[in-house]
Amino acid sequence: MSDVHIHKVPKAVADHAHINKEVYEAEYQRSIENTKGFWDEKAREFLTWSKPWDVTVEHDFPKGEVKWFTGGKLNVSVNCLDRHLETRGDQPAIIWESDDPAVDKTYTYKELHAEVCRFANGLKAEGVKKGDRVCIYMPMVAEAAIAMLACARIGAVHLVVFGGFSPDALKDRLLDSEAAVIIVADESVRGGKAVPLKANADQALKSCPSVKSVVVVQRTGGSIDWTDGRDVWYHDLLENASDDCPAEEMDSEDPLFILYTSGSTGKPKGVLHTTGGYLLHAAVSHKYVFDYHDGDVYWCTADVGWVTGHTYIVYGPLANGAQTLMFEGVPTYPDASRFWKVVEKHKVNIFYTAPTAIRALMAKGDDYVKTCDLSSLRVLGSVGEPINPEAWEWYHKVIGGGRCPIVDTWWQTETGGILMTPLPGATDLKAGSAMQPFFGIEFGLVDNEGNEVTGNPAEGILVIKKPWPGMFRTLFGDHQRYIDAYFANYPGMYFPGDGARRDKDGDYWITGRVDDVINVSGHRMGTAEVESALVLHPAVAEAAVIGYPHDIKGQGIYTFVTLMDGVEATDELRQELVNHVRKEIGPIASPDVIQWAPGLPKTRSGKIMRRILRKISENLIDELGDTSTLADPSVVDDLIANRPSQ
Ligand code: ATP
Ligand code: MG
């Protein structure tokens, strides 16, 4: 591709930041050479332990064994709440912005603490004990975070299921986790529309015998069915509960939560995270990656149903005593200026979102942005997919006014927290690159045989060479799958399933999922590069690229293209796009098929599901696989109906 422009760290940002270039280089070096010493120090600085640990880290990857801070005791809710009461009890902890632009509510640390304690007592009254699984199936209301923290307080293991999931998807997760209790809202509200959450839960619960009680948060007051003896109102539980709830002393390695991954690549996996290491990674990365300073207003737009919501709305920010904004609505309601109106209203300093949202808002044009005052913004973030350079530049210029660094953060549900990212005050930026390892993380690139590819530039399969505190400890109920999927392919290393390229400066570019790699006449290509080349064209809003069987080349390149609002899909444009990709990357990347796609199949968290596109390209419509996590199934029907003849 054309030469990469480097955005230097602005001096004002570097001067203000916790970490500048020199500090990053020295601290990163130390974190690799003396991993134990580095994390020991951070664990003392960032967390409050009721008993110190005996051993910092032990691991045996081939056996799937990882332990951090063995023997240490702490409680996550105490770290997120109690210890802040003296210093910042009256400071906002959660700023809740409703779907309705006229409604918001702030919880101070004192108020949040009191409600968490009361609800924790309420859960105990429902019979919940340490180690029990509690499902949280909720909209983006503060009670979702309160429920998570209440579970943590009494040692129950929560599993948050995204409120947009169907009764079937909910049922699968309840059965797999054998949850004892589910916490649900009567309805959720998104984009002005109510969704019947309680009715969905009732449907799922018909075949989930382990669930003994259903706690219902009243969000809309809409009518719901009620099962006496099983269902209980959240507000009734609170009314009868004391706000004094001593926290359960947890072992560092006790489970904190299970979270089923979004399912871009197949059957959801119950990723299990534990207590001490996870919270430490959440806190340290939140502070340094977003350069959080006391008093900042921080907003991560993810849903609590995703790991990003766990680590970077709830646990990381609250462990750091931050002000964290929770948004119930969608970016396009009442119109496409909503995100920016919220930034203006709450004077947001740090804003963290996903490429899918940026691309969607970019396609709506700049007028929605221009009417809003975004001068409070200081740092921007991106997560979930590779961000196309075109979208990056728009985010940087139009949203960030050219002055806010963008942290493109690479990580996974499994990793617990961010592992690869620029740091705002330390890293010169390249649009589309996740740049550098976070502290304590040592990446490698390997070829198909597992041999390390050294030197720069280099390309290969991304691996991680040693454990980090936030990594998951097992797949719930299936430890063998944990070993097989993550540690068996490249012995002694963790295999995330993504490919990457290291450029001549040693900066990393995620090229896409290894499963999605395309092989054209023996040339291997990541999906990200071809997609980004297409998005670079002014007519293209979004693109997905896959390989399909091709008689001569082995695989051909099949692209699905969503055009900008108002652009007409013509044969001339098709040819122009082919030429454009040839020019940007080379003839080898020339698309063989371009299908116009009014929408792309995405997970509920907004990631493109290329495995479904592969089936569509091959006309294997009966083999689409698990589609329960698709955001909008009608998109798939449209693509099937409009397959071009090849
Ligand atoms: P499943 O594993 O069930 O298929 P999933 O991988 O979509 O689901 P997540 O854990 O939410 O579930 O997503 C992690 C993946 O998202 C990464 O492995 C990577 O492919 C992609 N990803 C996340 N952040 C970035 C980023 N900044 N740049 C590029 N890719 C990213
Ligand atoms: Mg994954």
Side-chain angles (χ1 to χ4, degrees), residues 627-646:
T627 53
S628 65
T629 60
L630 259 181
D632 177 6
S634 70
V635 165
V636 174
D637 300 334
D638 180 280
L639 294 178
I640 292 171
N642 293 302
R643 290 178 71 245
S645 47
Q646 289 164 37

Side-chain angles (χ1 to χ4, degrees), residues 269 412 414 513:
K269 308 169 276 245
Q412 312 178 290
E414 294 90 334
R513 294 168 195 269

